[in-house]
Amino acid sequence: MHCVARLHNTLHNFFNNREINAIATTLLIFLSLYISIITLLGENFLNPLADHPVTTTNEDVTVRTIFVVFILLVVGIIVAKLSKALRLPPLFGCLALGIVIRNIVVFEQFFVFPPFVETMIRKVALVMIVIRWGLATDVQFLYENAVMPVTIGLVTAIGEIIAVTIASYFILNISFVMSIFCALILVTVSPAVTVPAMISFKEKNLGSLKRIPENVLAICCVDNLFCVVVFMVLSSIIFTDAPIATTILLNAGTIVFGIIGGVIVGWLLWRFPRSDAPHTQFARILLLGAICLSMMIGTYLIKYSCSGFLAALITSAMCAMKWSTDNKDKIESVVSTYKYIWDSFALPLLFICLGMKFDCSTLTWEIVFLCIAVIAIGLLVRTILVMLVTLSSHINFKEQVVVALSLLPRATFQADLAPTLVLMAAPFPEMSKDAALIMKAAILSVLVTAPIFDILLNLVGSKCLSRCNDKDSPVMEQNLDKSYMNGDHVDDSIYAARPKTYSEYRSETVIERY
């Protein structure tokens, strides 16, 4: 034990030495930047400077691609600002712009870039989604109040997946396997719509007494994690020629490896750089972005994307735990930087690229109505399940409506998962046609649900959630712990409307409660 204590003290002094910490941080930054740049360019990791046949055509394509992406970015930012001014989600305007470009011949012929560039744009945007998701995850809250978020997240997601699978199989007439993929894509909740609304409610102290915004964010975390991981694992099993048993074992190994890798990298970012070092926030922003880029895109290129996804998410969540308490600036500058990157770069390009996949010439009103029917069935089942699962919880009917509405918008993950499915199904002719139809359904789900439920969520939330006064905040913080979330007695001073025990609360009828 004495040797272990000495070793611990030695390592502690080593990591906290200012010079050693600065050198190690610099090496980590250069290594992570090297790996992320090599993966973005699709070059050989060990020999990135290998000779490539350079032709005038290749040079022209590169210059044209850079110019096209720049034009799309500028126009996308303008359209996103206009959409926001019209009280619509910015992603709606970018998606509509992409659809216009795709279906006007002159624009379609001009705005063309290689498929690899489009894939990298989507993957970089997905990295930004995962980083912001991890930074916004309150691990402590999720750990102390796991029952309600996990129950609602898993039960409603599984129920909607079953409903959409059956509906797409019979209504869209696609294969059963592709119906499952369709369900996994269409049911994933969009953090791009839900998270800003919940943050706005928290700032206005709406629903703070019962922690409604925190619960909704935790529910979205469980829902997204379940759907995305199942999609990645299932796609690696279906779209491969390897034996199923081998593929399942490899996926289990990559999941474990991703979790362990995320914990290790997160622990490293706790130590490097020091919280009192110069330019700490800049180094943390750079390290987090470069490491998550290298993990997610690197594992995607070697066909094990689930591992990188989990590692990046765990790394971001662990960073949020430590960075929010170890310096005076906390984590605000990191969060605001990645929000700016998402709003100004990732969001416009991601949804413009998605809209450019929507070919109206192959679309009929029958397909539109059938796709909307499948989407509506899923949303209806999700709403019913949310109301049923929360029926015996501590939240009332109005708050149940807000929770249900917060799980209905679709946007961000549909923009990445649907094109990824089309790309993976391309070598399989029997699946590529179904994948193209699923792509149309995903785009329609974004067009229909994002603007409608963004407006409804903000409107209904401001009307249905009770406001907590600032003078009650200290009392609320003392009384609002995990026992409250499980339905125990609530102090009359903070919640005089219903000072009942959990057993008394459960004994009420639904009519009496509301």
Side-chain angles (χ1 to χ4, degrees):
M1 292 297 293
H2 181 66
C3 294
V4 173
R6 287 183 62 185
L7 178 62
H8 179 268
N9 291 331
T10 303
L11 290 175
H12 179 76
N13 294 332
F14 176 80
F15 285 129
N16 284 279
N17 182 277
R18 187 178 296 274
E19 290 75 18
I20 293 176
N21 191 281
I23 294 171
T25 301
T26 304
L27 290 176
L28 277 175
I29 290 174
F30 277 108
L31 180 61
S32 58
L33 284 176
Y34 170 78
I35 298 175
S36 60
I37 292 171
I38 293 301
T39 53
L40 277 173
L41 297 177
E43 296 292 343
N44 188 325
F45 177 75
L46 298 177
N47 189 16
L49 299 179
D51 292 335
H52 294 286
V54 180
T55 63
T56 305
T57 304
N58 289 340
E59 292 179 351
D60 292 343
V61 169
T62 303
V63 174
R64 180 186 178 88
T65 300
I66 295 173
F67 181 70
V68 166
V69 172
F70 176 75
I71 295 297
L72 287 177
L73 179 61
V74 173
V75 178
I77 293 173
I78 296 173
V79 172
K81 296 295 183 183
L82 290 175
S83 297
K84 193 172 182 179
L86 295 173
R87 303 295 179 88
L88 293 172
L91 60 88
F92 180 80
C94 297
L95 182 62
L97 175 62
I99 295 174
V100 170
I101 292 173
R102 178 66 177 84
N103 293 280
I104 297 179
V105 178
V106 177
F107 292 158
E108 180 189 4
Q109 294 175 350
F110 179 78
F111 292 101
V112 177
F113 41 80
F116 181 78
V117 175
E118 189 242 339
T119 301
M120 288 300 104
I121 289 173
R122 288 192 290 103
K123 294 306 170 185
V124 170
L126 180 62
V127 173
M128 295 300 109
I129 294 171
V130 171
I131 291 175
R132 295 192 67 211
W133 173 9
L135 293 176
T137 301
D138 191 341
V139 179
Q140 184 70 21
F141 175 82
L142 190 57
Y143 174 76
E144 294 178 352
N145 307 278
V147 175
M148 180 177 173
V150 172
T151 303
I152 297 176
L154 289 182
V155 171
T156 60
I158 293 172
E160 188 177 358
I161 287 172
I162 295 172
V164 175
T165 299
I166 297 172
S168 57
Y169 180 76
F170 288 104
I171 296 176
L172 298 182
N173 196 26
I174 58 180
S175 66
F176 182 73
V177 172
M178 297 304 287
S179 298
I180 297 175
F181 279 115
C182 180
L184 290 170
I185 291 173
L186 293 184
V187 307
T188 310
V189 180
S190 168
V193 175
T194 302
V195 172
M198 293 303 114
I199 293 175
S200 175
F201 294 157
K202 287 175 66 175
E203 292 173 349
K204 298 175 183 177
N205 285 329
L206 292 173
S208 298
L209 183 63
K210 299 185 182 180
R211 309 292 290 274
I212 300 299
E214 289 86 349
N215 274 286
V216 169
L217 292 175
I219 293 168
C220 291
C221 179
V222 174
D223 173 278
N224 293 340
L225 185 61
F226 174 75
C227 293
V228 174
V229 170
V230 172
F231 176 89
M232 290 179 174
V233 172
L234 186 62
S235 62
S236 63
I237 294 174
I238 299 299
F239 300 108
T240 182
D241 296 329
I244 295 179
T246 304
T247 307
I248 292 175
L249 289 175
L250 284 174
N251 276 283
T254 56
I255 289 174
V256 173
F257 181 76
I259 294 172
I260 296 174
V263 171
I264 293 173
V265 175
W267 180 83
L268 284 175
L269 293 184
W270 281 9
R271 301 295 188 273
F272 305 101
R274 287 166 54 108
S275 60
D276 58 350
H279 311 295
T280 298
Q281 302 300 337
F282 174 75
R284 286 177 168 178
I285 292 167
L286 196 59
L287 270 174
L288 181 60
I291 289 176
C292 290
L293 271 174
S294 58
M295 288 192 298
M296 288 192 64
I297 298 180
T299 53
Y300 168 77
L301 294 176
I302 62 174
K303 311 298 183 184
Y304 294 107
S305 55
C306 185
S307 178
F309 171 79
L310 288 173
L313 180 60
I314 292 172
T315 298
S316 303
M318 287 187 64
C319 289
M321 290 173 59
K322 182 70 173 180
W323 295 352
S324 59
T325 58
D326 69 348
N327 66 96
K328 62 182 180 65
D329 295 326
K330 297 186 178 180
I331 201 174
E332 283 80 4
S333 60
V334 180
V335 173
S336 61
T337 298
Y338 281 106
K339 180 181 184 300
Y340 177 79
I341 294 172
W342 167 254
D343 291 338
S344 302
F345 299 97
L347 183 147
L349 290 177
L350 175 65
F351 285 96
I352 289 174
C353 289
L354 179 65
M356 291 172 67
K357 299 283 186 181
F358 196 74
D359 187 1
C360 292
S361 63
T362 61
L363 200 65
T364 62
W365 284 109
E366 181 183 5
I367 293 176
V368 172
F369 289 134
L370 292 178
C371 290
I372 291 179
V374 172
I375 296 166
I377 289 172
L379 298 179
L380 180 62
V381 170
R382 171 83 76 160
T383 304
I384 293 173
L385 288 175
V386 170
M387 302 300 285
L388 290 176
V389 172
T390 57
L391 191 62
S392 59
S393 68
H394 65 283
I395 62 177
N396 59 37
F397 178 75
K398 292 181 179 179
E399 292 159 343
Q400 287 178 319
V401 172
V402 175
V403 173
L405 284 175
S406 66
L407 302 182
L408 300 184
R410 307 289 184 259
T412 41
F413 284 105
Q414 287 72 23
D416 178 74
L417 297 181
T420 300
L421 179 65
V422 172
L423 193 63
M424 291 188 297
F428 304 90
E430 68 278 5
M431 295 183 179
S432 59
K433 184 178 179 181
D434 292 344
L437 183 57
I438 293 172
M439 169 76 80
K440 292 183 175 66
I443 296 174
L444 286 172
S445 71
V446 177
L447 285 171
V448 172
T449 62
I452 292 176
F453 292 112
D454 179 62
I455 296 171
L456 282 178
L457 180 59
N458 285 281
L459 181 63
V460 174
S462 61
K463 299 293 183 182
C464 294
L465 295 180
S466 58
R467 188 182 300 275
C468 175
N469 296 325
D470 293 337
K471 63 181 181 180
D472 296 332
S473 296
V475 182
M476 180 187 69
E477 292 297 330
Q478 290 180 350
N479 289 275
L480 190 59
D481 56 12
K482 60 182 179 181
S483 63
Y484 170 78
M485 301 302 296
N486 292 326
D488 293 338
H489 182 70
V490 182
D491 189 0
D492 295 4
S493 63
I494 64 168
Y495 193 28
R498 191 181 296 157
K500 299 180 176 63
T501 62
Y502 185 52
S503 58
E504 292 172 335
Y505 180 81
R506 291 293 300 272
S507 65
E508 291 180 326
T509 64
V510 175
I511 300 299
E512 289 172 342
R513 190 184 309 167
Y514 300 140

